[in-house]
Amino acid sequence: MSRIPAIWLMAALPAWAAGPTFTKDVAPILYARCAGCHHANDIAPMPLITYQQARPWARAMREAVVSRKMPPWQADARYGDFVNDRRLSQTQIDVIKAWVEAGAPEGDEKDLPPAPVYDAGWRLGPPDAVIQIPKDYMVKAGGPDEYVYLTVPTGFDHDVWVRAVDLRPGDRRVVHHAHVYLHEPAKPEAKNAANAKAGPALTFREGGLTHIKPDAPVVDDGCASPDGGNWPGKHPSENGGMLGSYLPGKDPDVFPEGYARLIPAGSTVEFQVHYHPSGTESFTDRTSVGLYFAKEPPRQRLRRIDISNYLFLIPPGDADHRVTACYTFAQDVEFMSYTAHMHLRGRDMRFEAVHPDGRRETLFSVPNYDFNWQNEYQLRRPVPIEKGTRLEIVAHFDNSANKAGNPDPGKVVRWGEPSYEEMMDGWIEFILPENGPARPGTEVSQAR
Ligand code: HEC
């Protein structure tokens, strides 16, 4: 065998192939794409900041990035262009792979970029106003999952525009997720549609949790029913009241430049906190919401709609149960973000627009839904939707024994708040192009 001078080989390969190192090649990727969750006291089980922390995980990191399990991102890349896309590029994956295969060397300390700094407190700095749940909430060891609703006055005596919202769980070990809804004083009926009050005849409350009654009518194909899958006679409000949310892996809501949410004088906020007891210890929680005010009235008021089916029934063992929900927009709107929300049996969800001319378009698709990662997918550019467009939310549930995490494949499953029952919601943030189109084609430059 002839010997090829080493120098020729070197010239033919990318720079890092000669020896990717942690300090020079890998740390910049981890700091940009992983450390946000993988740092002390956040949701990921281990920090990945120093070489000493990352080295034992080298092989697991290679597996996780090659399989695209990490960073978590469920949207099908074919639909939508998202400003908060956290997927790695193929080059970044190749760097991690080559580094692990080369024995995961540390490299020269001088190459190490400065480590990101995480504040245990508010992620956007001190808020202009903080509203807390009214008192410490005790989560008892071994107790059931609880959804707790707590209403607190804002105390605002004038209208306030909010440019960012951050929810801070009091104790991340037991707060599974939290939402904050806004209730305007003049419209007490504009309550959260998923709330028991919206469908009182069909729901009951037990141990702090709302469920649908077992004898409620069954509608799987909401799109074929006049209410679209919603409670009979109810339609989602286009002033949907959600102000902000905390979900594992979700960043604070920082609305794009020029956009804000309105909090009218005299409003109250309602916290919905999902507590999930952990281990053998009891915990006390004091979740709070931080509001960041806009300096001037925004060009665009951000709105939100929740398109839901509440009436589905998933038979025991059914691996592919289809449920739909529909809503027709009565005015021109522009979509800003999409969120798919189901519980543990959720399998996939798709948002399809049927335009007034009959054209069907897939806007968003989550082919492998994962309850642990309910990301909000924020569009890089607002998506214009003409008046008369019907939005179809199409979901499939897997109630078979093969579904990882299925609490009980032998159960009939209907709508309910606990994660062992199900929900089927497509959440959409949108604006009305009332001030002219929102800077057509311009980019929402900042991930939030
Ligand atoms: C949005 C938060 C988040 C981001 C971003 C993130 N991780 Fe994770 N990671 C988690 C959580 C939570 C877990 C534990 C639960 C799980 O395995 O799903 C985890 C688990 C892991 C594991 C263990 C996997 C296993 O199979 O046991 C590895 C390895 C990992 N992450 C590597 C990475 C790398 C590398 C990146 C960046 C390229 C990254 N993660 C980005 C949250 C995150």
Side-chain angles (χ1 to χ4, degrees):
M1 210 173 95
S2 69
R3 295 185 52 193
I4 304 167
I7 189 79
W8 291 6
L9 277 175
M10 302 279 290
L13 294 168
W16 50 260
T21 66
F22 179 81
T23 54
K24 187 154 168 289
D25 308 285
V26 174
I29 301 173
L30 299 186
Y31 294 177
R33 289 282 196 258
C34 317
C37 296
H38 287 274
H39 67 261
N41 301 321
D42 210 290
I43 53 167
M46 71 292 189
L48 292 175
I49 306 222
T50 65
Y51 179 70
Q52 285 66 31
Q53 290 165 345
R55 179 64 189 86
W57 291 96
R59 280 171 173 281
M61 285 200 287
R62 180 185 59 182
E63 296 313 307
V65 301
V66 167
S67 66
R68 293 193 176 270
K69 183 182 178 225
M70 288 284 148
W73 183 262
Q74 271 72 44
D76 185 328
R78 286 176 297 172
Y79 310 111
D81 180 11
F82 301 105
V83 72
N84 60 336
D85 193 341
R86 43 167 122 84
R87 286 172 305 159
L88 298 187
S89 68
Q90 192 56 50
T91 312
Q92 289 172 315
I93 294 173
D94 292 343
V95 169
I96 292 177
K97 205 163 156 257
W99 172 68
V100 175
E101 279 154 19
E106 178 167 16
D108 189 338
E109 232 175 80
K110 288 201 290 291
D111 292 332
L112 191 68
V117 178
Y118 297 99
D119 191 337
W122 295 102
R123 293 174 288 181
L124 303 170
D128 296 307
V130 175
I131 302 173
Q132 289 192 320
I133 62 172
K135 58 182 172 60
D136 287 353
Y137 192 84
M138 167 75 106
V139 185
K140 292 199 192 70
D145 272 30
E146 286 175 277
Y147 270 62
V148 175
Y149 293 87
L150 300 155
T151 300
V152 188
T154 57
F156 297 154
D157 59 7
H158 57 279
D159 290 358
V160 170
W161 286 102
V162 169
R163 63 174 176 83
V165 179
D166 194 10
L167 243 83
R168 194 165 75 167
D171 195 319
R172 281 165 191 257
R173 291 169 294 184
V174 288
V175 176
H176 179 276
H177 77 247
H179 299 304
V180 178
Y181 298 95
L182 177 69
H183 297 308
E184 304 184 7
K187 297 178 190 149
E189 78 281 10
K191 289 250 167 186
N192 158 30
N195 191 315
K197 292 148 204 143
L202 295 180
T203 61
F204 66 101
R205 239 171 121 72
E206 193 177 64
L209 294 165
T210 303
H211 316 260
I212 194 168
K213 289 182 181 163
D215 60 353
V218 175
V219 180
D220 286 329
D221 189 4
C223 292
S225 104
D227 301 308
N230 212 307
W231 302 116
K234 296 268 177 195
H235 292 284
S237 157
E238 284 193 10
N239 288 317
M242 172 112 49
L243 192 59
S245 48
Y246 164 78
L247 298 162
K250 184 175 177 294
D251 294 324
D253 286 301
V254 182
F255 308 136
E257 183 77 42
Y259 294 71
R261 288 290 307 259
L262 177 65
I263 302 186
S267 295
T268 54
V269 292
E270 181 179 33
F271 286 86
Q272 180 211 77
V273 191
H274 178 178
Y275 290 111
H276 183 63
S278 162
T280 51
E281 229 184 299
S282 295
F283 296 89
T284 49
D285 171 65
R286 197 77 177 272
T287 287
S288 50
V289 63
L291 304 174
Y292 298 82
F293 298 158
K295 303 264 178 308
E296 53 193 52
R299 284 196 301 280
Q300 293 289 355
R301 173 174 176 187
L302 263 180
R303 296 153 198 267
R304 162 156 193 152
I305 188 166
D306 299 358
I307 303 174
S308 312
N309 184 320
Y310 296 109
L311 302 172
F312 56 84
L313 184 151
I314 309 168
D318 190 337
D320 193 18
H321 189 73
R322 184 173 187 270
V323 177
T324 68
C326 266
Y327 181 74
T328 301
F329 284 87
Q331 57 197 331
D332 289 351
V333 296
E334 294 186 5
F335 290 166
M336 300 294 294
S337 75
Y338 308 130
T339 307
H341 179 73
M342 296 179 276
H343 290 169
L344 292 161
R345 294 168 176 93
R347 203 180 107 154
D348 57 67
M349 189 179 275
R350 232 168 47 233
F351 291 14
E352 305 220 333
V354 182
H355 296 278
D357 62 5
R359 192 167 43 93
R360 179 178 283 275
E361 181 189 10
T362 301
L363 298 174
F364 171 60
S365 171
V366 172
N368 296 301
Y369 179 80
D370 182 342
F371 180 61
N372 291 316
W373 301 115
Q374 304 178 36
N375 201 12
E376 179 184 70
Y377 296 87
Q378 299 160 359
L379 288 154
R380 190 178 301 280
R381 293 182 189 80
V383 170
I385 293 292
E386 30 343 10
K387 170 183 173 178
T389 299
R390 184 157 97 132
L391 205 78
E392 298 188 1
I393 313 285
V394 182
H396 293 89
F397 291 91
D398 182 351
N399 194 14
S400 73
N402 291 332
K403 174 72 176 168
N406 186 348
D408 186 350
K411 278 243 155 64
V412 168
V413 181
R414 300 208 64 183
W415 182 89
E417 286 173 348
S419 47
Y420 56 82
E421 294 171 330
E422 274 300 333
M423 287 193 178
M424 190 282 193
D425 302 300
W427 295 336
I428 298 177
E429 274 183 315
F430 68 99
I431 53 171
L432 304 181
E434 59 201 355
N435 306 330
R439 300 175 294 153
T442 46
E443 288 203 3
V444 174
S445 57
Q446 207 200 337
R448 41 186 170 111

